[in-house]
Amino acid sequence: MMAAREAGTRRVVAQSASFMTQPVGSGPTDESAPLYLDAPEPIRSHIQANIAAETLVLGTPGIEGVVLRYGFLYGEGTAIGPGGEWATGIESGDVPIVGGGAGRYPFVHVRDAVSATVHAVDRGSPGIYNVVADEPASQAEWLPCLAEILHAPPPRRVSEEDAEEQIGVQAVYYGTQLRAASNAKAKSVLGLTLEYPSWRQGFRELFS
């Protein structure tokens, strides 16, 4: 950041994540929602790294810091895209629904994420913005839907205890505790517009 300031940079746009909030409460979170600072590892280290980057970008004098907290990216070249890690895992039946699958994933198509990033270069005030689509999806909803689109077997279900032992605590957090995120601020301040407001449309077009 010091180098950016010395080079005369006016604004810095940084990437962060919208899926690191406390797993309490109901309804979508906004940018002021408390973060999951007491999360178990490896979730905690991921959140701490994001906080460190956000603090640096937002707290450097002379720099307009903009933090974009993206949702789970899907599209070409991502884990949820043709040949991606999640897509191939679902095709082989290796991605389970954890517990009741109530965790609500804030998805965003990679093209919409790019559009938001371009907007953030010269629009809106400094600060933090959730860059997510309009429709969050519970794991119990989106995972079987994507499996069907991929002509994959229906996803198996595992208990929270088995998921923690076999996959890790992050699988339990995402699968059962994750809260939806609101994009209201990004729409009103950055002028976020979405080519893919719903993951349903995006998944079907991506894998058609």
Side-chain angles (χ1 to χ4, degrees):
M1 291 297 296
M2 295 298 294
R5 187 172 64 180
E6 290 172 2
T9 300
R10 177 180 63 87
R11 173 170 288 211
V12 172
V13 179
Q15 175 181 348
S16 189
S18 67
F19 39 90
M20 55 183 189
T21 53
Q22 283 279 357
V24 294
S26 60
T29 63
D30 63 18
E31 291 79 359
S32 66
L35 302 182
Y36 196 8
L37 301 178
D38 57 347
E41 291 291 358
I43 302 171
R44 183 168 63 251
S45 292
H46 172 66
I47 292 173
Q48 289 174 339
N50 278 331
I51 291 174
E54 291 187 3
T55 301
L56 181 62
V57 169
L58 297 173
T60 300
I63 293 290
E64 295 179 0
V66 178
V67 171
L68 301 182
R69 289 181 175 171
Y70 299 109
F72 287 95
L73 295 170
Y74 70 95
E76 296 287 346
T78 72
I80 313 176
E85 181 180 359
W86 282 25
T88 56
I90 292 168
E91 287 177 320
S92 60
D94 293 334
V95 181
I97 297 172
V98 179
R104 297 179 63 77
Y105 285 62
F107 287 115
V108 63
H109 195 288
V110 67
R111 283 161 62 173
D112 286 329
V114 169
S115 176
T117 306
V118 172
H119 285 342
V121 171
D122 58 10
R123 297 189 195 179
S125 56
I128 300 172
Y129 299 88
N130 287 334
V131 178
V132 299
D134 291 342
E135 184 183 359
S138 70
Q139 188 184 62
E141 185 177 23
W142 74 262
L143 193 48
C145 180
L146 185 52
E148 181 179 355
I149 292 171
L150 293 170
H151 305 291
R156 59 192 172 92
R157 287 182 177 267
V158 300
S159 68
E160 294 182 28
E161 294 76 16
D162 287 344
E164 181 173 340
E165 180 180 345
Q166 297 169 14
I167 311 172
V169 294
Q170 66 272 24
V172 178
Y173 171 61
Y174 294 144
T176 67
Q177 301 173 323
L178 189 62
R179 295 177 61 191
S182 169
N183 61 15
K185 182 180 177 183
K187 282 186 169 182
S188 64
V189 181
L190 289 184
L192 172 67
T193 57
L194 297 166
E195 184 178 354
Y196 296 95
S198 170
W199 59 273
R200 300 174 191 274
Q201 169 200 3
F203 282 5
R204 292 195 179 279
E205 289 190 17
L206 178 62
F207 293 101
S208 62

